[in-house]
Amino acid sequence: MERTKQFGKEVVDLLRHQPHCRMPFSKFIPTYHHHFGRQCKLSYYGFTKLMELLEAIPDILMVLECGEEKVLILTEVEHIKALAAQLVKLLRAQKNFSLSVSQLLPEYNKTFGYGLRLQDYDAASLPALLAKLCHVVKVVDGSDGREVQLINRKSLRLLTTQLLALLMSQENHQVTKGMKVEELSQHYLNVHGTQLNPCEYGFLSLSELLKSLPYLVELYFEESDENCEDCSTGGGHGVEWVRLTKIYQFARNVRALLHTYHYNQIFLTEFQAAYSKFTGCSFEPRFYGCVGIDELLSAIPQVVWIKGHGHKRIIVLKNDMKAKPSYSMPNSPQPRENAESLRDSPISSTSGSQSPGCDADSELLRLTSPVDLLCGPVPSCLPSPQLHPDPVLLQQMDLIDFEKTPPPQLPTELESVEEAAADGTSDPPELPGRRDDSPPLCDEKNMLSMDSPGRRVSRSRFKLAANFSFTTGL
């Protein structure tokens, strides 16, 4: 099936280089060989006849019988796409990306070597044809009359990220089935507050836009009883649904896992065990067509990227994917698992001493809501943002803590006087400024020494002199 789709893309490329996007059936094989430089091997695609292979892509190619000769022509949708690409090429070569309506047909003939036939596109006039190309060009009033200009397309990359986020925000039981295409458009309007217009991105419909993202999403049809009459009469296929591909369903789980980690990062060496614990199922890269973890994570560049080297490589969530869904994050872990995730984060590793606010921390861990604390109401257990310093206790302590026991203090002048009083040699003289109701002088000196680290208590000269002694016999 994948090879047949690839063959369909080659047929589109081949016929776009033919006049009016058509060619005789008899010239297909030599033209294919000349254009791609290789033979068209039918066995590679699982067919034995060329006509059977061409009929296997009815949404791309039509086979018309003109008398005895068969003609290959692109379908109307693919034909419009080819014309849109030609007009983009034509207008980009003009000044200010615009061209007069009266000069459009002559310039087209001059550029591509054949004329633009309106009947090939089922259009009665040139304005009717340009109306079918409203997603590519627009007709405005210029200085020289009506002009055809290229429209300014919006960024498809931003829209891709937004659509991925919407599909990843579904409930677990909805991911496999997906959602209807029209529901996706309505959901986009509810979340972003603006209508999703595919013409602003260069597509006629939302289905065509989604088909341009084959690696991210896949479209399928599901028949319903309500549309059975329409399917039988109008040739429809039922209701059109869109869902994530298998590999981006895996990316959805990776995104939800990284949302539980601080800074949305995890070591590559810890990813496999964390993913298995988070989802409750084994991790098999071969299920997604990849050999190892590195190849699998490299296949989802819209969601994660890997930084670092060797065993220190870290899986980082893309900035566009860091916004948490407004509802139902898949497989939300329990509070204990959330606490372990925060602890095991490669960035946030705290020094594990218990603080007085451990009760508040336990209350935070009991929060089961997946909404970020900064996005929701502030819990009552969070501290006030106003910071206050801890009170300083004026007591004697070793601030540097070089030794377990405080160093011996030198005797002060007050201690010398008290020793002399104890010996009874003289009365202790009254110190100036000393009053009965004042605190002891030693406390004042200790407080002064603590308030000013550079200020030291003066030593007693008499005590120092008494410490000197002469050795006899010199």
Side-chain angles (χ1 to χ4, degrees), residues 301-319:
Q302 285 83 1
V303 179
V304 297
W305 62 288
I306 302 176
K307 69 176 182 179
H309 302 281
H311 64 282
K312 294 184 178 181
R313 285 183 297 175
I314 299 176
I315 305 173
V316 184
L317 190 65
K318 284 293 189 69
N319 292 332

Side-chain angles (χ1 to χ4, degrees), residues 117-352:
R117 301 186 306 191
L118 301 180
Q119 62 271 18
D120 292 341
Y121 306 94
D122 195 17
S125 60
L126 182 59
L129 176 60
L130 295 178
K132 295 184 176 182
L133 301 170
C134 60
H135 60 293
V136 178
V137 297
K138 60 183 178 179
V139 181
V140 298
D141 293 330
S143 58
D144 298 334
R146 304 284 287 177
E147 293 182 353
V148 181
Q149 295 181 356
L150 286 177
I151 64 173
N152 296 325
R153 297 184 181 182
K154 292 185 178 180
S155 173
L156 186 59
R157 177 186 176 277
L158 176 60
L159 178 64
T160 301
T161 303
Q162 293 173 346
L163 294 179
L164 271 180
L166 290 180
L167 293 174
M168 288 182 176
S169 301
Q170 297 179 97
E171 300 284 349
N172 292 336
H173 62 278
Q174 296 177 345
V175 175
T176 304
K177 187 175 182 180
M179 66 174 63
K180 299 179 182 178
V181 174
E182 58 266 16
E183 290 181 356
L184 177 61
S185 180
Q186 182 63 33
H187 191 47
Y188 182 91
L189 175 62
N190 297 336
V191 173
H192 299 283
T194 180
Q195 187 69 37
L196 176 58
N197 186 7
C199 296
E200 297 178 349
Y201 302 92
F203 297 92
L204 285 173
S205 63
L206 181 57
S207 299
E208 295 295 330
L209 190 152
L210 295 174
K211 288 179 182 178
S212 65
L213 311 172
Y215 300 103
L216 307 180
V217 297
E218 58 184 4
L219 298 175
Y220 70 98
F221 291 91
E222 184 181 75
E223 295 184 359
S224 60
D225 297 337
E226 298 177 357
N227 298 326
C228 60
E229 298 180 358
D230 298 336
C231 296
S232 60
T233 58
H237 300 282
V239 181
E240 192 173 17
W241 291 71
V242 57
R243 61 187 174 190
L244 294 172
T245 57
K246 291 294 183 180
I247 192 169
Y248 271 88
Q249 292 180 19
F250 161 76
R252 172 181 179 268
N253 295 333
V254 174
R255 176 177 180 245
L257 171 63
L258 293 180
H259 276 162
T260 64
Y261 280 78
H262 199 37
Y263 294 106
N264 305 124
Q265 301 177 358
I266 184 176
F267 282 112
L268 181 61
T269 55
E270 302 175 358
F271 172 75
Q272 184 170 357
Y275 182 86
S276 300
K277 181 180 179 181
F278 182 79
T279 59
C281 57
S282 60
F283 178 71
E284 295 293 340
R286 294 184 178 180
F287 176 75
Y288 305 97
C290 300
V291 178
I293 301 179
D294 297 357
E295 183 180 352
L296 179 57
L297 295 175
S298 300
I300 51 174
Q302 285 83 1
V303 179
V304 297
W305 62 288
I306 302 176
K307 69 176 182 179
H309 302 281
H311 64 282
K312 294 184 178 181
R313 285 183 297 175
I314 299 176
I315 305 173
V316 184
L317 190 65
K318 284 293 189 69
N319 292 332
D320 298 335
M321 291 289 155
K322 288 185 178 180
K324 294 187 177 181
S326 57
Y327 62 92
S328 179
M329 187 167 60
N331 299 327
S332 179
Q334 298 299 324
R336 180 176 299 179
E337 296 177 0
N338 195 2
E340 294 176 358
S341 301
L342 294 177
R343 184 184 67 243
D344 297 338
S345 173
I347 300 298
S348 62
S349 56
T350 56
S351 60

Side-chain angles (χ1 to χ4, degrees), residues 197 205 319 419 450 461 472:
N197 186 7
S205 63
N319 292 332
E419 289 178 0
M450 289 179 62
R461 298 180 181 178
T472 57

